[in-house]
Amino acid sequence: MNQGLPLLEELCGDYLPDTCFDIHAHLYRRGDGNDSLPQLLAGAERSIGFDDWKSSLRTWMGHRVPSAGLFFAYPKADLNIPSANDYVLSQLGPSSDSRALLLVSPSSNPESIEQQILDCHPKIAGFKVYHCYATRRNTQQAEIGEFLPTWVWSLADKYSLAIMLHIVKPHALADVTNQAYLRTHCETYSNAKLILAHAARGFCADHTVRSIRSLAGLNNVYFDTSAVCESPALDAVLRSFGPRRLLFGTDFPVSEILGRAVSIGDQFVWLDESVIQTCSDGRVKPWLVGMESLKALLTTFRNLQLNSNDAELVMNGNARRLLNLDQSSDSKTGARYQQAKQRIPGGTQLLSKRPEMYAPQVWPAYFAEARGCEVVDLDGRKYVDFATSGIGSCLLGFADLDVNRAVVRRVQLGSMCSLNAPEEVDLAERLLEIHPWADSARFTRTGGEANAVAIRVARAATDRDMVAFCGYHGWSDWYLATNLEKSGSEESHRVDRLGSHLLPGLDPAGVPKGLAGTALPFNYNQADELEQIVAQAGDRLAAVVMEPFRFTEPEPGFLPRVRELCDACGAVLIFDEITSGWRFAVGGVHLHFGVAPDMAVFAKSMSNGFPMGAIIGRQDVMEFFQKTFISSTYWTESVGPVAALATIDKLSDHFVHEHIAAIGGEFRSRLLQIAQSEGVALRISGRDSLQHIQFQGGQSNAVSTLFTVEMLKRGFLSGSGFYPTYAHSTTLIDQYCRQAAEAMKVVAKAMESDQVESMLPGGPRQTGFARLVK
């Protein structure tokens, strides 16, 4: 019967773990089943229990047979549901890790069900609902609410339980009423865990493929693989939600039927043993449904190039985390960061991602997955990012499907070769179309590079050395030279002229001392300071580089006055739009202010997390790219331009800047109201689309750290700023604010009792550049 075992074993290889968990299996007394189920055991009075499940699966899974599972009764209309549930619970004894779902119907008694949950904790993991308990004649047409009562959602939300749902209607997930129901209820009952059986009933794979994105952004929806015999539905789940939302299930005893489900047109059919052998004149020997389903899953793993760690999550780890069976206290995330501090000077590549900048010893240093607003660390802990969204780089949200699709296509076709990427020409045209004041474009892959290139070109164009600047512009020599002491200076302490330009304490060690005095800072909205620089060094000034906006609005006339001063002295005006670009408008914020620079630089959100930087400008300045040597191999790869083009298209088509402004505005007003209600002084500066959060008072840094620590406990990344994205929603704002209200109570109580610092495991966060103590 299992003639396919050699091939299945070959497909498995060393890919699958030795220990699996079956998230979808039925246990039942013989009389509680139906005639379509396989006759696993002889004798009409026998029952199908835990031992039968394990021995049957062993015949085709071999040593990989699951050690535990999530079990529930086989649903049928005339079933004695309480008795069937009791039987399932009685079968859990052989496995301490196995759990049960209570089969419930709209006629079940909510009070009795809740009491049973309390009496049997933790063996009961949630609920199984089924369309056969809807009251209509043809239950395959039932709306979800007809067989999934609201009280089930309420109990699942109250006790953080799972709901196993087999959706129906002819188009399953592709039915818009099903989509609306799922989104509304998952958002309303965010503590409930919804498992969509059969990859959202993807027996006709196209139903799941074309509609999976309708569930994007839901952090409490999961999918099982049970009895799905074709890979596209599984592929769609993994592409959209990643390997941590898919769970291996067999649908035992359906797994023991010979045959498979096959997509045909816009529907599907089940081909059983007799049909297959009739159509093939007996030459084709069918496999078990369970084997067909596992083969489809393995095919999907390989098509997506997942590794054995990903496979382990799907086959075992995800179920154990979902059911709170993973009790490991070791922190892979923390251990990896300790290792990094021994091997990587400074611990991280970017100062702004150093955990000590948020909450020492608590902030998760590494991510395994990031999608939408959700981040998963190396230990499987999930967080919703209400901090910087990739230091401002992921304006659409993490792993945006449209951008990723364009990038994956380019990678599969080849992203680097001996010739040039045609997409860079398309990107140049797109940028110049958006910025009609500019004539040409050049590209880098990071913002720091783009700024350094722009300064080099400005110096070449003017044959001058000095630069005036305002704001933060990266790590390059030209910028850090500001903190060099001038020759003959009587200052005995280290100067920190950059202290008021976002990051204090930047040490210019390694910057040539001959650059001292070449970079002159002025403060935002202080035109008089720039006037003084121009008066003293205007004929030596190559460029004025500044952020046209970060957290402070320009005062009337400030930016036009900067433009006038540059024109008067012949300096090149460069707008650094690395942080502000695309967030406030399609293009740069300078378009909103109506002041055109001579050059502008972009990076970060222009390509939604993929490395890409750009310099655009007027021809009389940009022509000096050909008079100074600026060239780099990896500026010619094609992933960056492709990602930028896809990102810009989506920013334009979906009015993203309007969405994030609305989200940011709601966040600001509600968080300020929460702080005020607890008597905590809080200030939020900046525009709604880019906010800086400051707790006020003498312990502000420690208080900010404590709030971050408390929000981490509640599943949110929260720091000293909020960078809203297209993936943030009002529902996520609701969830954040509910938890922020509780966290703020803790903060207020700690402040009142003067216990703030004692509640910080690693002390207050760092506020600037400092040596990392290992």
Side-chain angles (χ1 to χ4, degrees):
M1 182 174 67
N2 292 336
Q3 71 280 357
L5 277 177
L7 176 58
L8 190 63
E9 184 65 27
E10 180 183 339
L11 290 173
C12 290
D14 296 328
Y15 208 41
L16 296 186
D18 290 335
T19 301
C20 297
F21 193 103
D22 187 350
I23 200 70
H24 187 134
H26 302 278
L27 302 180
Y28 56 98
R29 296 163 300 191
R30 176 71 71 187
D32 293 340
N34 62 37
D35 294 339
S36 68
L37 295 178
Q39 296 297 309
L40 294 172
L41 300 172
E45 302 304 319
R46 293 290 301 274
S47 300
I48 310 301
F50 180 90
D51 292 337
D52 303 305
W53 162 79
K54 193 162 188 175
S55 62
S56 294
L57 295 188
R58 185 178 283 112
T59 64
W60 56 273
M61 291 193 70
H63 70 278
R64 297 180 179 88
V65 63
S67 59
L70 180 63
F71 300 103
F72 38 96
Y74 193 88
K76 67 177 186 177
D78 60 350
L79 184 69
N80 183 329
I81 292 178
S83 178
N85 285 336
D86 288 342
Y87 174 73
V88 173
L89 286 166
S90 74
Q91 291 296 303
L92 300 186
S95 172
S96 61
D97 284 350
S98 290
R99 295 291 184 265
L101 296 178
L102 293 179
L103 183 63
V104 295
S105 75
S107 61
S108 299
N109 185 291
E111 290 77 18
S112 298
I113 295 296
E114 183 171 17
Q115 188 59 54
Q116 190 172 13
I117 291 169
L118 296 173
D119 291 343
C120 297
H121 179 80
K123 287 297 185 180
I124 295 175
F127 310 97
K128 168 64 178 179
V129 296
Y130 205 67
H131 65 87
C132 68
Y133 299 111
T135 56
R136 67 170 65 206
R137 181 185 298 274
N138 181 4
T139 64
Q140 289 283 354
Q141 295 283 354
E143 302 289 346
I144 297 173
E146 294 180 43
F147 58 93
L148 174 46
T150 301
W151 60 262
V152 172
W153 282 103
S154 297
L155 288 178
D157 188 66
K158 181 177 181 179
Y159 295 108
S160 190
L161 298 175
I163 300 173
M164 177 75 74
L165 174 62
H166 177 116
I167 54 179
V168 287
K169 304 185 77 173
H171 297 101
L173 186 58
D175 184 280
V176 293
T177 60
N178 281 343
Q179 295 172 15
Y181 177 94
L182 294 174
R183 177 161 288 281
T184 297
H185 285 74
C186 283
E187 290 177 344
T188 302
Y189 301 98
S190 58
N191 205 37
K193 306 165 186 175
L194 180 67
I195 305 172
L196 293 178
H198 318 297
R201 192 166 161 262
F203 297 127
C204 176
D206 186 59
H207 294 160
T208 298
V209 170
R210 74 174 189 252
S211 55
I212 190 71
R213 294 181 67 175
S214 67
L215 305 179
L218 297 178
N219 298 322
N220 55 340
V221 63
Y222 299 81
F223 307 81
D224 77 34
T225 69
S226 59
V228 174
C229 300
E230 298 175 333
S231 63
L234 304 173
D235 182 288
V237 171
L238 287 168
R239 287 183 187 277
S240 297
F241 286 91
R244 281 176 168 76
R245 300 289 193 89
L246 185 63
L247 305 99
F248 171 70
T250 64
D251 201 10
F252 174 86
V254 175
S255 58
E256 313 309 296
I257 297 174
L258 288 168
R260 60 173 293 157
V262 178
S263 298
I264 297 181
D266 197 32
Q267 292 297 314
F268 68 94
V269 296
W270 281 96
L271 301 182
D272 61 21
E273 179 180 11
S274 61
V275 172
I276 293 172
Q277 291 187 340
T278 298
C279 292
S280 66
D281 296 328
R283 291 172 296 176
V284 175
K285 304 300 182 183
W287 286 16
L288 295 175
V289 168
M291 297 171 66
E292 291 280 6
S293 181
L294 181 56
K295 182 177 70 171
L297 180 60
L298 290 165
T299 298
T300 306
F301 286 165
R302 285 183 164 80
N303 286 345
L304 295 182
Q305 299 182 338
L306 302 187
N307 60 30
S308 59
N309 292 329
D310 299 323
E312 193 282 331
L313 290 172
V314 174
M315 302 300 295
N316 183 53
N318 292 338
R320 292 182 175 278
R321 290 192 180 93
L322 181 70
L323 301 176
N324 299 314
L325 295 171
D326 186 357
Q327 303 297 326
S328 174
S329 59
D330 295 334
S331 172
K332 297 178 183 177
T333 308
R336 181 63 60 90
Y337 187 51
Q338 291 303 315
Q339 178 187 10
K341 289 192 287 187
Q342 301 300 318
R343 295 288 184 241
I344 299 174
T348 63
Q349 311 304 318
L350 182 70
L351 177 63
S352 298
K353 284 192 176 184
R354 184 182 287 183
E356 287 79 4
M357 301 289 284
Y358 298 89
Q361 298 182 24
V362 181
W363 186 266
Y366 299 101
F367 73 99
E369 289 186 50
R371 191 169 285 99
C373 302
E374 183 184 275
V375 177
V376 183
D377 72 6
L378 302 186
D379 299 285
R381 291 185 293 257
K382 297 179 183 177
Y383 303 94
V384 181
D385 193 341
F386 270 77
T388 65
S389 304
I391 319 299
S393 65
C394 295
L395 190 54
L396 297 174
F398 306 128
D400 179 81
L401 290 175
D402 295 311
V403 178
N404 282 5
R405 183 179 295 112
V407 167
V408 169
R409 173 190 174 276
R410 182 69 264 178
V411 169
Q412 291 175 335
L413 293 174
S415 62
M416 182 65 163
C417 80
S418 301
L419 307 182
N420 294 293
E423 293 89 353
E424 67 184 22
V425 184
D426 298 331
L427 181 57
E429 294 286 1
R430 191 79 170 93
L431 290 174
L432 299 179
E433 173 188 326
I434 294 170
H435 302 89
W437 60 266
D439 301 305
S440 59
R442 280 286 296 261
F443 302 114
T444 65
R445 289 300 177 271
T446 72
E449 291 175 332
N451 266 320
V453 166
I455 294 300
R456 167 83 71 80
V457 171
R459 283 172 165 165
T462 60
D463 196 24
R464 301 172 179 177
D465 294 338
M466 299 183 69
V467 176
F469 71 89
C470 173
Y472 175 73
H473 305 291
W475 58 271
S476 300
D477 284 359
W478 77 264
Y479 184 63
L480 292 186
T482 312
N483 278 355
L484 288 171
E485 294 187 29
K486 295 180 181 179
S487 178
S489 171
E490 296 180 358
E491 297 175 341
S492 59
H493 59 284
R494 188 180 68 183
V495 296
D496 190 9
R497 300 184 188 92
L498 294 173
S500 61
H501 295 263
L502 193 63
L503 278 177
L506 297 181
D507 194 328
V511 177
K513 293 179 175 56
L515 293 178
T518 59
L520 308 174
F522 66 97
N523 289 301
Y524 195 77
N525 276 330
Q526 301 298 314
D528 59 322
E529 295 182 10
L530 181 58
E531 289 170 354
Q532 186 175 359
I533 292 173
V534 170
Q536 295 177 352
D539 59 348
R540 292 172 289 158
L541 199 61
V544 173
V545 57
M546 63 177 295
E547 295 180 283
F549 174 83
R550 185 177 279 266
F551 297 121
T552 303
E553 292 289 333
E555 294 179 355
F558 172 63
L559 292 178
R561 180 56 177 157
V562 172
R563 174 74 271 179
E564 291 174 0
L565 290 168
C566 289
D567 290 341
C569 71
V572 175
L573 175 57
I574 304 169
F575 278 166
D576 179 347
E577 292 264 20
I578 291 168
T579 295
S580 56
W582 312 98
R583 184 166 290 276
F584 306 102
V586 176
V589 72
H590 71 271
L591 297 174
H592 174 75
F593 295 136
V595 177
D598 300 308
M599 303 173 75
V601 295
F602 301 94
K604 287 190 185 286
S605 59
M606 181 176 72
S607 49
N608 208 61
F610 291 95
M612 191 65 208
I615 308 100
I616 63 174
R618 294 189 295 108
Q619 188 62 34
D620 59 338
V621 176
M622 296 291 285
E623 66 182 14
F624 282 87
F625 267 98
Q626 300 189 76
K627 297 185 179 182
T628 181
F629 181 66
I630 299 174
S631 184
S632 181
T633 296
Y634 277 104
W635 291 351
T636 68
E637 61 81 38
S638 54
V639 166
V642 165
L645 286 165
T647 300
I648 293 170
D649 284 346
K650 192 160 186 175
L651 293 175
S652 303
D653 294 343
H654 293 265
F655 304 99
V656 170
H657 64 282
E658 295 178 2
H659 172 83
I660 64 173
I663 288 292
E666 184 174 355
F667 172 89
R668 181 200 300 268
S669 62
R670 293 180 64 175
L671 186 59
L672 287 173
Q673 185 178 8
I674 289 169
Q676 184 179 18
S677 67
E678 297 299 331
V680 176
L682 182 69
R683 179 175 180 265
I684 302 180
S685 58
R687 286 190 171 187
D688 291 336
S689 302
L690 181 64
Q691 302 178 27
H692 182 56
I693 303 169
Q694 295 173 295
F695 286 86
Q696 307 293 290
Q699 288 186 294
S700 61
N701 198 40
V703 171
S704 176
T705 308
L706 179 58
F707 183 73
T708 295
V709 170
E710 291 299 317
M711 290 304 289
L712 285 172
K713 293 177 183 177
R714 293 162 172 81
F716 288 87
L717 301 180
S718 186
S720 59
F722 176 44
Y723 291 57
T725 73
Y726 190 56
H728 284 94
S729 65
T730 55
T731 299
L732 290 178
I733 295 286
D734 290 340
Q735 295 173 12
Y736 176 90
C737 289
R738 282 198 298 270
Q739 300 303 323
E742 297 302 315
M744 203 71 75
K745 291 181 188 296
V746 175
V747 169
K749 185 176 180 180
M751 293 174 66
E752 183 179 354
S753 60
D754 197 25
Q755 296 294 315
V756 174
E757 291 210 19
S758 67
M759 297 176 66
L760 303 177
R765 62 182 176 89
Q766 293 179 1
T767 57
F769 181 75
R771 180 179 176 82
L772 181 65
V773 179
K774 296 180 181 179

